[in-house]
Amino acid sequence: MKSHRRPHTLIVGGTRGTGRAVVRQFLSRGHVVSVIGHRRPPEARRANMRHYSVELTEAAPLSAALRECIRRDGPLSNLVFLQRFRGEGDPWQGELDVSLTATRNIIEGLSRHFARGTTGSIVIVSSNSSRLVADEQPVGYHAAKAALWQMARWYAVALGPRGIRVNCVTPGTVLKAESREFYLRNKPLQRFYRKITPLGRMGTAEEVAGVIAFLCSPAASFVTGQDIAVDGGLSLLWQESLARKAAGLTHPGSSKSNSSDERACHPAAGLPPLPQHGAGTGAEAGSHAAGRRVRAALAGARAAAGFPAGPFSVPALRLCATA
Ligand SMILES: NC(=O)c1ccc[n+]([C@@H]2O[C@H](COP(=O)([O-])OP(=O)(O)OC[C@H]3O[C@@H](n4cnc5c(N)ncnc54)[C@H](OP(=O)(O)O)[C@@H]3O)[C@@H](O)[C@H]2O)c1
């Protein structure tokens, strides 16, 4: 029987976009890489890559390609899904068929074909549209992406006993070969991304590929059922923060250097700082008076919010400010 020494990774949707960056990542790590997608990518010339041009919604050709993939290159180490519907026709049905049903069919078809003795990894690429609304994308894209996340969790439980880990990677908008020029030419859009993203820039397809590679590595051997956002922290921000960044405004009480400062999250922001216990001196009498006013305001807010009497904690203040 043929022995297969190199790890074998199947990448669904690896013929363009982020998928191609994932293909290059695994090729550079010495894997045998099988790729599903219609068009033949340039990497298909590489000796350790095989391309299967197959339509994911056609059951018979798809299962023939999966059988051939295992027969030629052996059991899988990793299975990565990046496909999304780009076809003509009803986008609702298209997204459900291409993103959801094809993913389920392939996992069901291949879960018994993972290499024994190592942990296998399945990574499903989702999108921030699984929890936010991207109004340039159809409803089916949102519904499919949200469902993929729960599908990943379900399979993480079902396949855990077989040593197969299942996780999601959730990118924000990233620069890929096909879109890079559009974003690089569009300076106002670039500046806007720099302004609103905590890490101060757009991400790249290669950075998404890096997180996928991590989830498929021994470094992630005890990680399953998780979702890793790759968006520079953008999805952490609530609308007020985004609106202020977009408008170039800062909150009057915001403290960039110390975000746990009570002033940053309370309506009494802007008043002099509260005196520290034991730190007061005669020279600070004025600010002590202001401090008493702030404490009185805080006590009122605490009572209104139903918190017990006692020193204010920062988490309690945050609750007040965001409720
Ligand atoms: N790009 C972003 O900024 C971004 C942001 C958030 C999330 N994502 C997610 O990241 C993943 C990759 O995005 P992308 O923009 O790089 O995608 P993309 O460029 O549209 O590539 C999609 C891939 O899926 C394949 N595919 C689609 N429908 C297929 C079908 N019916 N049968 C066979 N293959 C099919 C395509 O192959 P062919 O073209 O050869 O048919 C291609 O390889 C997607 O899941 C997307 O939702 C992307």
Side-chain angles (χ1 to χ4, degrees):
M1 188 177 149
K2 200 172 161 187
S3 81
H4 303 277
R5 291 233 190 95
R6 290 184 180 191
H8 179 195
T9 295
L10 170 59
I11 299 172
V12 181
T15 59
R16 53 176 271 128
T18 307
R20 264 188 77 202
V22 178
V23 168
R24 287 194 296 268
Q25 175 77 235
F26 282 94
L27 287 173
S28 74
R29 289 169 181 243
H31 289 220
V32 172
V33 178
S34 298
V35 173
I36 290 180
H38 297 112
R39 67 195 92 193
R40 185 177 159 83
E43 290 78 15
R45 286 192 297 268
R46 299 272 296 266
N48 54 334
M49 173 171 159
R50 307 213 198 274
H51 172 232
Y52 298 87
S53 182
V54 63
E55 167 54 50
L56 289 168
T57 58
E58 290 175 7
L62 177 60
S63 43
L66 297 180
R67 274 197 307 276
E68 180 64 2
C69 161
I70 300 299
R71 188 193 66 74
R72 283 170 84 173
D73 290 304
L76 292 178
S77 303
N78 310 295
L79 172 56
V80 184
F81 294 94
L82 295 113
Q83 80 281 12
R84 59 155 304 183
F85 177 66
R86 295 282 193 191
E88 305 290 316
D90 178 11
W92 172 261
Q93 200 54 50
E95 292 288 358
L96 297 190
D97 291 346
V98 171
S99 294
L100 266 186
T101 307
T103 299
R104 192 226 27 201
N105 289 348
I106 294 172
I107 293 177
E108 293 288 336
L110 292 179
S111 63
R112 296 195 178 279
H113 296 282
F114 272 75
R116 290 170 195 271
T118 56
T119 67
S121 172
I122 298 176
V123 179
I124 301 175
V125 174
S126 179
S127 157
N128 270 339
S129 301
S130 64
R131 46 200 172 210
L132 303 171
V133 174
D135 57 10
E136 75 280 11
Q137 298 289 351
V139 61
Y141 183 72
H142 292 75
K145 290 299 191 189
L148 281 173
W149 165 221
Q150 188 64 350
M151 186 189 282
R153 288 154 56 88
W154 193 90
Y155 277 119
V157 172
L159 300 180
R162 287 193 223 165
I164 301 173
R165 300 178 294 102
V166 188
N167 292 287
C168 271
V169 166
T170 293
T173 305
V174 291
L175 296 171
K176 54 178 188 173
E178 295 80 1
S179 67
R180 191 175 294 267
E181 204 178 322
F182 168 78
Y183 286 106
L184 294 185
R185 254 190 297 142
N186 196 329
K187 301 282 182 217
L189 195 53
Q190 257 188 64
R191 274 197 297 278
F192 190 70
Y193 267 105
R194 275 204 292 274
K195 210 186 235 185
I196 64 170
T197 308
L199 286 182
R201 62 176 176 84
M202 292 185 76
T204 64
E206 287 71 22
E207 288 173 306
V208 177
V211 176
I212 293 171
F214 158 71
L215 286 170
C216 293
S217 76
S221 56
F222 207 50
V223 179
T224 197
Q226 302 305 306
D227 177 29
I228 302 185
V230 186
D231 66 358
L234 186 50
S235 59
L236 299 172
L237 295 176
W238 83 315
Q239 67 265 33
E240 174 70 12
S241 309
L242 280 175
R244 283 178 186 277
K245 282 175 190 291
L249 299 171
T250 49
H251 192 283
S254 80
S255 161
K256 272 201 163 174
S257 57
N258 180 8
S259 59
S260 65
D261 187 335
E262 291 183 348
R263 288 169 297 155
C265 54
H266 193 269
L271 289 174
L274 290 172
Q276 301 294 308
H277 280 302
T281 67
E284 292 165 341
S287 71
H288 281 199
R292 276 194 295 279
R293 286 201 305 279
V294 174
R295 276 200 298 280
L298 294 179
R302 178 170 53 203
F307 286 107
F312 249 113
S313 68
V314 169
L317 281 172
R318 287 227 179 82
L319 219 65
C320 291
T322 57

